[in-house]
Every structure is written in structure tokens, then in C-alpha cells.
Amino acid sequence: MDIVLLNVVILIYLLVVGYLGYKGWKTTKCAEDYMVGGRKIHPFVMAMSYGATFISTAAIVGFGGIAGIYGMSLLWLPFLNIFIGVLIAFVFFGKRTRKMGHNLGALTFPELLSKRFESKFIQWFSGLLIFCAMPIYAAAVLIGAARFIETTLGISFEIALLVFSIIIAAYVVMGGLKGVMYTDAFQASIMFLGMLFLLYKTYSILGGVTSAHLEITNFTPLISGNLIEIGHLGLTSMPEFGSQLWWTIVSSIILGVGTGVLAQPQLVVRFMTVKSNRELNRAVLIGGIFIFVATGTSYVVGALSNAYFMNTEGILSIAATATETFPKGNVDSIIPLYINKAMPEWFIYVFLVSLLAAAMSTLSSQFHAQGTSIGRDVYETITGKKGGNSVHITRIGIIFAIVIAVVLGYVLPGGIIAKGTALFFGLCTAAFLPIYALGLFWKRTTKEGAISGLLSGTFSSIFCLVFLHKAEAVPLGISKMLFGREVLISSMPWPYVDPVLIAFPISFIVTILVSLLTKAPSKEHLDKCFKGI
């Protein structure tokens, strides 16, 4: 290990991040600056911040590791990420969100919903839900970064997790959203270049695109019998249609994460940081290219890592990660181990910074969203006190959010990164997406309909997680304790159908039905909401 080179790379990175965080702090003068960047963020900064917030260690380490086991079937996810997460999100949702947020003076996602439907309940309930549910996603991102630091620097996972969290806390608490977005744009640029080199170098090591893909295609007979039994057909094939693995990949990973991006509070608020639709139009191409490279590379490299380990050690990727702690291997260690084994030393240090950037950009936005949820959406709404004091409460909320994420990072099991991400995305889709989409595009949506949709989506999703979806129901053990069964419905495919496919339709239908049965919003309020839209 070249300690001098490593220290130089990390020092330069931290100095730039520190400067950008300081710049955000210096230009943050009011709550609007702290929460939506003063609504004057440059389109490049907005697009890269959006992409960096979305693409984290959960995507690179977590889902990249999943691709190391399940193969390139995950490449459908980048397609949805770009089509739904960028094109539809920016062009259709983003423009209306920006304008409506400006019309109503909304500074957070829950506040936008609250003012659209004239309901304080929606604001504080949504804020509380975000604060309580997001820590598992934040912990998953923290774990991804700490695992790479552990593998690269040879320090303990626990120390890596703690030190990394303290660094993030420093600039998120002080700089607000401006500090977060400035650092996001810088970090996303590092990520983009790092992922391009990683893809190029991987194909070079394996003899080119055709040779590499053909090699992992021929690994099908080597795949674990347990995976074959649940529908695995090879690293370059989709799983068997209707199998357990097919439902897991399609419903939880591809659809759950691919559509959940539309209702991510930390992403929606980005639309409210630019001053016009022109900035959003300019951001589409930037965001699309970035997400395509970042996600596509991690999934391809994850699958191709099998060829590298087979050529060098005679085993597949998951077997190469086996340790005393994880005798059967740890999916979260596949990408870190591959980088450290296959890449040149100088790139390992640069990629360490890229991965730190990915984690820091996402975590800073998550912690900022959690803090504003407590300060703006819960504290202000319940107490009626507005102004500077809520910024102090927001900063305290951010500190609590970081502490919770660190504690979860220590106690959650291995292989949790992708699962934790999919779980949070699915919950947001079920709880928020129906009322968010209908609130933007259907004027007839009522306060009562929105509240009913929010509650039905939230609690039907939780019910499915606790009693129906095997991945969560079995570890929780509540169904087993109450009913003597691991899941209430054991016949295929229900134990493997992601809760979002059940909870989202329920929430959507309930919102529409209750809206049709209740009094329509006043014309004056709708005119205010939809002015200029």
C-alpha cells in the first residue's frame, strides 16, 4: 500500500468537499436556502446532485454484488432508472413539481403534499414516516462504504463506519442543501470518471466484450444448485419466468427500485431547487448519461467479476468473499474485493474516493431529508412555530438520523445493502407515489382521498412486509409468533411478490375512490396550485 499516494488523494478530496460545504454554509442565509438551495441551483449541479443522490454505494456495492450472483438480468434496472427516474421524472413530474412548489411556497416534499391537499396531517405524518423509514436505507449505504474502506485500508468495519459518518455529519449539518448539492456535483463527476475507467479496465482484463460475456455464459453449470432450484438460468440470462428468483428480481429489484425513484423525498426536492423549466430540460441529458454509466457499469462489472475470480482463483465471486464471519461469502464484499484484486493500485485509491463520493452524496441527501422532515414537517406543523428555530431543530434531527443509521450499520446482517434499498423504495412508492402523481395531474384528488391513499399505502405495505413477503416476514418472526406460519400465504408466487405490487394498487385505487366520494377542492385553491402549469 502506497500510504503517501493514498493520503494525497484523500486529502485533496476532503479539502474540496470541505470548501464546497463551507461555500454552501456561507451562502445559506434563510430556511429557503437551507432546504431548497434558494431555488437558484444551476442545471448541471441539479442533475449531478440528483444522480449522485440516487446512485450510491447501494447501487455500486449492493446491487453490483447482487449482479455477481444473479447476473446481467439486473440491467433492466438501469433502463427503468433512465426512462422513469430521469425522462418521466424530469419532464413530466419535475416541471409540475417545481412550479407547484413555487406557487405554494413549499420547501420539502411532505410540505408540497400538505399544501396541495390542505392537510397538516399529511405533512407531519409523511415527515415522521420519512424520518422513521429512511434509516435502513441510509444504513445500507453506510455499510457499502465501510465495507470498501475495510477491504482497501485493512481497518475494522466498525471504525470505518464511525469515521465516515462523522465526516458526512460535518458538512450536512452546517451547509444545508446548498452544501449538499455543491458537494454532490463534485462527487458525481468523480464517480462518472471512475466508473468509465472501471468498465474499460474490466473488459481489457477479460479480453474484450465478446470474450468476457461468452466466458460467464459458460459458467451456468458452475452455479450453485440452490440457485438453480429457484430459477437461475445463467449469468447472461433472465431467471425462469414465474420462478422464485424471477419474482425477486422483477418485482423487488427492477420494478420496486425502478419505479420507486419517482417518490423519493430526497430526489423530489431537487426539482424545487431550479428557477425554471429550462433548467430541468437541460438537466435531462446530463442526468441520463450519468445514471446510465454509473448503474450499468456496476451491474456489468458485478457479473463479469465471476470471470476474473474463476481465471485467477478457480472459484466464482461469492465463494471468493468467504471469511470466518461469512463462511458462505458476503454479497456486499464482491465489488470491493474485485476492485482491490483486479485494479491497479492508483485506481484503487481513486475508486475509494469515487465510492466515498457515492456514499457521501446519497447519505448527505438522506440525512438532510430526515432532518427537514423533523424540523419543517413535524416540529413546525405540530407547534406552529416557524422561522430560524426550525433550522436548529432540523440540524438536531440530522444528528439523530446519523446516529440511528450508524447503530443500524453495526447490527444489520451481511447482504443487507440491496434489500434495505429495495425495502425503502417500495415503501415510498406505496405511500407517496399515488397521491403525489394524482396531486400533480388530477385536480379532482381531494384531501380525504390523499389521506386515505397515504394511510392505505403505508399500512398495506407494512402488512405485506410483516405477514406476506418471506424475505422480511421470516426474520421478523411476527407472523410465526401470532399465527404459527412464516407467511400467511405460502403458495407460489405470493411469498416472493414484492409488497409494492400489492400496496401501490391499493393506495392508488383508494385515493381515486375516496376522492370521487368526497367534495372536490375549491376552484380558488386549485387555481393557486396549478397556476402556470
Side-chain angles (χ1 to χ4, degrees):
M1 180 183 292
D2 189 334
I3 298 297
V4 175
L5 177 60
L6 174 63
N7 288 336
V8 168
V9 171
I10 293 179
L11 179 62
I12 293 173
Y13 171 72
L14 292 178
L15 285 174
V16 175
V17 168
Y19 167 74
L20 293 173
Y22 172 77
K23 181 179 179 182
W25 174 71
K26 286 290 290 183
T27 56
T28 297
K29 305 297 183 183
C30 60
E32 186 175 55
D33 286 338
Y34 194 86
M35 296 182 187
V36 290
R39 303 187 194 274
K40 296 178 181 179
I41 296 295
H42 190 277
F44 175 82
V45 174
M46 180 269 176
M48 296 300 272
S49 174
Y50 180 95
T53 301
F54 181 32
I55 306 303
S56 66
T57 50
I60 298 171
V61 174
F63 287 101
I66 291 291
I69 298 177
Y70 297 153
M72 294 191 177
S73 55
L74 268 68
L75 285 176
W76 280 103
L77 182 53
F79 169 76
L80 283 187
N81 291 157
I82 295 168
F83 180 70
I84 294 178
V86 177
L87 184 61
I88 291 179
F90 281 48
V91 175
F92 296 99
F93 281 72
K95 292 179 179 179
R96 285 176 172 255
T97 299
R98 185 202 66 79
K99 188 60 180 176
M100 189 177 290
H102 180 76
N103 291 344
L104 300 176
L107 300 184
T108 67
F109 179 51
E111 187 175 15
L112 174 70
L113 298 177
S114 168
K115 291 189 173 183
R116 164 63 177 90
F117 297 114
E118 300 179 285
S119 168
K120 290 186 177 181
F121 171 81
I122 287 179
Q123 185 168 358
W124 72 255
F125 182 86
S126 298
L128 196 60
L129 179 61
I130 291 167
F131 186 82
C132 293
M134 193 176 280
I136 191 169
Y137 179 25
V141 177
L142 268 178
I143 291 169
R147 286 294 176 202
F148 194 86
I149 295 171
E150 175 192 35
T151 306
T152 303
L153 303 184
I155 62 177
S156 75
F157 170 78
E158 291 76 14
I159 293 175
L161 191 72
L162 181 62
V163 172
F164 187 58
S165 303
I166 292 172
I167 293 172
I168 296 171
Y171 75 86
V172 180
V173 172
M174 297 304 299
L177 193 62
K178 280 188 176 182
V180 168
M181 292 186 74
Y182 290 155
T183 54
D184 279 356
F186 167 64
Q187 291 162 340
S189 300
I190 296 174
M191 289 165 57
F192 181 79
L193 296 175
M195 296 307 281
L196 277 180
F197 181 84
L198 176 62
L199 185 65
Y200 163 76
K201 188 65 177 178
T202 297
Y203 278 123
S204 297
I205 291 172
L206 298 177
V209 176
T210 303
S211 175
H213 286 237
L214 180 61
E215 187 171 358
I216 62 170
T217 300
N218 295 331
F219 289 162
T220 303
L222 303 175
I223 293 172
S224 165
N226 292 334
L227 290 174
I228 297 296
E229 289 176 6
I230 64 174
H232 203 311
L233 296 179
L235 293 170
T236 54
S237 302
M238 283 293 291
E240 181 183 353
F241 179 78
S243 66
Q244 174 185 327
L245 185 57
W246 187 90
W247 278 105
T248 297
I249 290 177
V250 172
S251 68
S252 295
I253 297 177
I254 296 175
L255 290 179
V257 178
T259 59
V261 63
L262 287 175
Q264 291 292 295
Q266 71 276 19
L267 296 181
V268 172
V269 74
R270 263 63 185 167
F271 301 137
M272 295 190 279
T273 64
V274 294
K275 63 181 179 180
S276 71
N277 289 344
R278 181 167 173 256
E279 277 73 21
L280 286 174
N281 290 334
R282 293 167 63 188
V284 169
L285 182 62
I286 300 169
I289 293 174
F290 172 77
I291 289 177
F292 173 74
V293 170
T295 57
T297 295
S298 58
Y299 305 157
V300 168
V301 169
L304 294 178
S305 67
N306 287 282
Y308 173 81
F309 285 113
M310 184 59 67
N311 293 337
T312 57
E313 300 181 26
I315 52 178
L316 295 178
S317 298
I318 189 64
T321 65
T323 62
E324 289 185 8
T325 307
F326 300 100
K328 294 183 179 180
N330 182 4
V331 67
D332 295 340
S333 297
I334 289 177
I335 293 295
L337 184 63
Y338 169 73
I339 299 295
N340 279 275
K341 292 273 190 178
M343 295 294 116
E345 187 175 14
W346 67 266
F347 179 74
I348 294 173
Y349 302 148
V350 172
F351 195 80
L352 172 63
V353 171
S354 299
L355 208 62
L356 294 181
M360 290 176 75
S361 57
T362 300
L363 285 165
S364 60
S365 299
Q366 290 171 332
F367 294 144
H368 183 270
Q370 288 176 271
T372 56
S373 294
I374 287 296
R376 181 78 174 184
D377 301 317
V378 178
Y379 172 79
E380 283 193 6
T381 304
I382 293 177
T383 65
K385 298 178 180 178
K386 297 185 179 294
N389 195 43
S390 69
V391 174
H392 298 308
I393 300 298
T394 294
R395 285 174 168 150
I396 293 171
I398 290 172
I399 294 171
F400 271 106
I402 293 171
V403 171
I404 294 170
V406 170
V407 172
L408 286 175
Y410 286 136
V411 302
L412 287 174
I416 192 62
I417 298 177
K419 292 179 182 177
T421 303
L423 191 154
F424 180 73
F425 272 60
L427 180 59
C428 284
T429 302
F432 298 132
L433 186 54
I435 65 172
Y436 174 43
L438 290 170
L440 290 178
F441 295 98
W442 189 40
K443 294 182 178 181
R444 185 62 178 79
T445 314
T446 66
K447 170 184 173 180
E448 295 78 8
I451 292 175
S452 300
L454 175 62
L455 294 176
S456 63
T458 300
F459 292 111
S460 60
S461 182
I462 293 173
F463 177 84
C464 292
L465 289 169
V466 173
F467 296 108
L468 297 180
H469 197 232
K470 193 171 182 178
E472 292 81 29
V474 172
L476 288 173
I478 297 175
S479 179
K480 182 74 172 178
M481 180 181 64
L482 295 178
F483 302 105
R485 307 173 65 176
E486 290 185 336
V487 290
L488 294 184
I489 305 175
S490 57
S491 57
M492 280 291 292
W494 297 108
Y496 308 102
V497 175
D498 194 85
V500 72
L501 295 188
I502 300 172
F504 173 76
I506 290 174
S507 176
F508 194 83
I509 292 169
V510 166
T511 304
I512 293 176
L513 289 179
V514 175
S515 293
L516 292 174
L517 294 173
T518 51
K519 184 179 178 181
S522 68
K523 183 178 183 301
E524 293 75 17
H525 177 66
L526 290 177
D527 287 343
K528 180 181 179 181
C529 292
F530 288 89
K531 182 181 179 181
I533 297 178

